[in-house]
Amino acid sequence: MKITRIMNPLLAIGLCLSLTGCSKKAAEVSATPEPTPTATPTPDPYAAPTGKYFSETTGLPIDTSLKNQRPIAVMVDCEYVALPHYGLAEADIVYDLMNSLENERITRFMAVYKDYANIPQIGNVRSARTTNVWLASEWNAILCHDGEAFYATPYMESGYGAQNLSGVFSRVQNGKNWEFTEYIMPGDITNNAADYGVSLNYNEYKQDGDHFNFAKYTLAVDTTSSAFTSAKTVELPYDHNGTTLAYNTDTKTYDLSMYGILHQDGDDGQTLSFENVFLLDTPYTEYPEGGLIYYNIVDSTGDGYYLTNGVKEPITWKKSGEQGIMHYYNASGEELEINRGKSYISLVPGDVWGALVVE
């Protein structure tokens, strides 16, 4: 006898619905698109390392904690008796300017430092001139000096030039005359700035824009064009201290000598050397007395040379206003690209520019 099983209608309907739902869910799952993988951003090969930013003075990475700190600009005597200098090899930029028309036009350095707190000793510190106020103001730097020529006083007393420290640094018993005994020691800037109401951080007089157009980080200036010619040695027309520069192929820097002696720091023996050299043809005006001068750089332009990697190219310079940043341009009128590193900038008096020797 054949037995026929009859499914419960309700069970059959439920089974049917269940199978339909599973089929629908499977279809929905299969229709869901696969998630798109998140693209990994490509690191910028020219960016500053983590926790660093590019210094406005050298273009090299330094700690971000220094980003808002003002540089200091220190007046340093170049008379033979002032040697050895201390801390000059650590300077980011060294300006070299004729101090007066007297004493065979001896020059005086103005050394600019962004990160200065841990340099053991800087100096010796000497007096400032009018042009130093204008150049320091470009950087919104604290001008550190021991007095000034009286012609410079009105500029220091102006709003933008009032941020300076004078004659308040450490004295070192070095057996020399009083004017050659003042040096900046660690803590001198911070302590004196607080006492004299000088801001350690950039203030409202900081100028917009960059001073230098640095080559991309890790890259170098392309010096293969015909605009560049050999520049291995420099003889500056400074008869008193006889400043020269010689290209060092091992370090790819220009080493400075004075009085026929390689300039080496008194603290650690480091040679004063630079990746970049600027030689600027700069006219000047003599004040009525004392052989004192100021360089005609305000609202002015002129010619010069830029030296790096053993070659030079002709450039022009331009400065607008007393505080305005000095800019540099190549022969095509484009903003000059320079290598990252330390710079030497000499304002060569226009009346002896022809005696400058670059070979």
Side-chain angles (χ1 to χ4, degrees):
M1 178 177 177
K2 184 178 182 181
I3 298 174
T4 303
R5 295 180 182 275
I6 301 174
M7 184 178 287
N8 186 315
L10 294 176
L11 180 60
I13 294 170
L15 180 60
C16 180
L17 291 174
S18 176
L19 292 172
T20 303
C22 290
S23 176
K24 183 178 180 182
K25 287 180 181 177
E28 288 176 352
V29 170
S30 63
T32 302
E34 291 293 327
T36 304
T38 303
T40 302
T42 303
D44 182 355
Y46 309 120
T50 302
K52 306 287 185 179
Y53 89 103
F54 292 129
S55 166
E56 49 270 58
T57 51
T58 65
L60 297 173
I62 60 174
D63 197 273
T64 53
S65 63
L66 299 168
K67 192 169 187 177
N68 198 41
Q69 177 176 285
R70 300 169 71 181
I72 60 171
V74 185
M75 297 303 306
V76 179
D77 197 295
C78 288
E79 181 57 83
Y80 183 79
V81 70
L83 301 178
H85 289 149
Y86 288 79
L88 265 291
E90 282 82 9
D92 299 335
I93 302 164
V94 173
Y95 287 92
D96 195 3
L97 285 75
M98 179 173 64
N99 192 46
S100 78
L101 295 173
E102 298 180 347
N103 197 17
E104 296 180 309
R105 298 188 173 195
I106 186 172
T107 67
R108 188 163 288 182
F109 288 155
M110 186 178 79
V112 178
Y113 304 78
K114 176 68 175 181
D115 185 4
Y116 53 81
N118 297 315
I119 300 175
Q121 187 173 341
I122 301 174
N124 71 317
V125 181
R126 288 301 303 274
S127 61
R129 302 290 183 261
T130 301
T131 308
N132 300 119
V133 181
W134 295 336
L135 293 173
S137 296
E138 290 187 23
W139 296 96
N140 195 219
I142 302 170
L143 182 58
C144 302
H145 57 112
D146 186 5
E148 71 275 353
F150 60 90
Y151 293 113
T153 302
Y155 299 97
M156 290 188 175
E157 293 177 346
S158 65
Y160 71 83
Q163 298 287 286
N164 63 89
L165 295 171
S166 175
V168 295
F169 305 110
S170 299
R171 292 286 174 177
V172 175
Q173 298 304 315
N174 56 11
K176 300 178 182 180
N177 291 340
W178 178 256
E179 64 266 31
F180 301 110
T181 62
E182 188 173 12
Y183 298 84
I184 298 175
M185 302 295 192
D188 278 356
I189 300 296
T190 302
N191 296 336
N192 284 293
D195 291 343
Y196 290 92
V198 173
S199 172
L200 292 174
N201 293 327
Y202 286 123
N203 62 19
E204 67 272 25
Y205 295 106
K206 182 180 184 297
Q207 300 297 294
D208 294 330
D210 298 325
H211 281 75
F212 298 130
N213 175 31
F214 290 111
K216 288 184 177 181
Y217 184 49
T218 72
L219 300 183
V221 171
D222 181 6
T223 59
T224 59
S225 77
S226 59
F228 293 89
T229 56
S230 180
K232 300 297 193 297
T233 60
V234 178
E235 295 181 19
L236 288 144
Y238 304 145
D239 292 339
H240 185 91
N241 38 312
T243 305
T244 62
L245 294 156
Y247 184 65
N248 186 325
T249 55
D250 293 330
T251 60
K252 296 183 179 180
T253 59
Y254 288 86
D255 298 341
L256 185 140
S257 296
M258 292 192 301
Y259 303 102
I261 305 168
L262 182 66
H263 188 292
Q264 294 178 307
D265 261 25
D267 55 353
D268 56 12
Q270 282 193 74
T271 298
L272 183 56
S273 59
F274 308 93
E275 282 76 13
N276 305 298
V277 171
F278 296 84
L279 306 173
L280 310 181
D281 181 359
T282 319
Y284 64 88
T285 297
E286 184 179 1
Y287 281 116
E289 56 184 274
L292 299 174
I293 63 107
Y294 65 87
Y295 283 93
N296 300 332
I297 58 174
V298 176
D299 295 320
S300 189
T301 186
D303 297 323
Y305 294 115
Y306 167 63
L307 284 65
T308 192
N309 289 342
V311 294
K312 72 176 188 296
E313 67 172 318
I315 62 171
T316 58
W317 59 266
K318 181 179 181 181
K319 178 177 169 67
S320 300
E322 293 173 358
Q323 302 174 71
I325 293 172
M326 185 175 284
H327 290 285
Y328 308 95
Y329 305 92
N330 62 23
S332 300
E334 302 166 326
E335 189 171 6
L336 180 71
E337 184 179 63
I338 75 168
N339 281 316
R340 294 172 187 266
K342 300 176 184 293
S343 296
Y344 169 86
I345 304 175
S346 184
L347 274 59
V348 180
D351 60 347
V352 294
W353 175 256
L356 172 71
V357 178
V358 183
E359 295 178 334

